[in-house]
């Protein structure tokens, strides 16, 4: 009953909005012939991305503050984050903002996300195994800032794009570390002696 009652709570609506924002970002990219050099399209995508990223903080904040946490929100929140990050990474690679050997950073990030999703599925809701760590939250925050700078940077200043690329590599490093942490915890859980 609680799940039905809170399915359309503010925290869940913010998460749904983050998923819907992905469509707007894709439209900003797909509806122009040269996204890489179209300032309006880039800034539109960056603005939508900024708003969507902000909902990542507020959905969890209000779910905790108002005791409106649901299994649906707990499942959908990290999926919405991963979808948002993955789509923007793909757009930035497709438009050439991220190119050459720099594509290794998005590849590492996306591989980690697939790995962690699989590990969470295997471990289920095992206590302490699949819970989000503070470092993983920093990883997500760094990724979101990096992607915002990479979307908007080419419109305003080269140093913003460069800063975005540096932060993307920082987040890739955090991605590897947190991915290893999840892997280690999950393997320790799966290989322990049965109770």
């Amino acid at each position: 009953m609680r799940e039905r009652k809170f399915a359309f709570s503010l925290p869940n609506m913010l998460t749904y909005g983050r998923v819907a924002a992905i469509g707007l970002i894709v439209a900003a990219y797909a509806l122009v012939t040269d996204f890489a050099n179209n300032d309006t399209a880039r800034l539109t995508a960056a603005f939508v991305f900024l708003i969507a990223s902000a909902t990542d903080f507020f959905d969890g904040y209000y779910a905790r503050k108002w005791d409106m946490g649901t299994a649906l929100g707990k499942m959908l929140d990290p999926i919405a984050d991963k979808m948002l990050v993955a789509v923007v990474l793909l757009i930035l690679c497709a438009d050439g903002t991220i190119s050459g050997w720099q594509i290794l950073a998005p590849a590492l990030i996306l591989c980690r996300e697939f790995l962690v999703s699989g590990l969470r599925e295997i471990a289920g809701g095992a206590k302490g195994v699949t819970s989000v760590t503070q470092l993983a939250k920093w990883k997500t925050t760094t990724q979101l800032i990096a992607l915002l700078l990479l979307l908007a940077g080419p419109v305003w200043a080269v140093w913003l794009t460069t800063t975005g690329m540096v932060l993307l590599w920082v987040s890739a490093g955090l991605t590897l570390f947190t991915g290893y942490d999840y892997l280690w915890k999950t393997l320790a859980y799966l290989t322990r002696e049965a109770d």
Side-chain angles (χ1 to χ4, degrees):
M1 189 63 155
R2 178 181 173 86
E3 301 302 326
R4 281 189 207 153
K5 181 179 178 183
F6 291 131
F8 294 100
S9 64
L10 177 61
N12 281 346
M13 293 301 289
L14 290 171
T15 304
Y16 304 151
R18 191 152 71 256
V19 174
I22 295 167
L24 296 176
I25 293 169
V26 170
Y29 170 75
L31 296 178
V32 296
T33 52
D34 186 13
F35 180 83
N37 297 306
N38 189 308
D39 291 356
T40 302
R42 287 195 85 96
L43 292 179
T44 300
F47 177 74
V48 173
F49 181 78
L50 175 63
I51 299 301
S53 298
T55 67
D56 185 36
F57 168 78
F58 288 110
D59 60 5
Y61 173 78
Y62 286 118
R64 288 185 297 275
K65 182 176 180 180
W66 295 337
D67 191 27
M68 288 186 163
T70 62
L72 174 64
K74 190 174 181 182
M75 177 211 55
L76 191 58
D77 179 59
I79 291 173
D81 294 344
K82 288 172 177 42
M83 289 168 58
L84 182 65
V85 166
V87 165
V88 173
L89 282 172
L90 291 171
I91 287 172
L92 292 169
C93 288
D95 85 342
T97 303
I98 303 172
S99 61
W101 66 272
Q102 302 276 22
I103 289 177
L104 181 59
L108 291 172
I109 290 168
L110 293 176
C111 286
R112 181 265 189 200
E113 299 305 351
F114 283 117
L115 173 68
V116 169
S117 295
L119 294 174
R120 281 188 174 142
E121 187 173 331
I122 290 169
K127 187 173 172 128
V129 176
T130 59
S131 55
V132 177
T133 64
Q134 190 60 46
L135 191 59
K137 290 179 182 178
W138 278 107
K139 179 267 304 176
T140 300
T141 301
T142 306
Q143 275 180 4
L144 296 176
I145 294 170
L147 295 178
L148 179 62
L149 292 176
L150 289 170
L151 279 170
V155 176
W156 287 322
V158 173
W159 70 266
L160 287 173
T161 307
T162 303
T163 303
M165 190 59 69
V166 169
L167 287 176
L168 189 67
W169 277 103
V170 169
S171 73
L174 292 172
T175 289
L176 288 177
F177 186 82
T178 57
Y180 172 79
D181 184 50
Y182 277 114
L183 179 62
W184 180 251
K185 286 180 185 173
T186 307
L187 288 178
Y189 168 75
L190 294 174
T191 57
R192 71 181 182 177
E193 188 175 342
D195 296 330

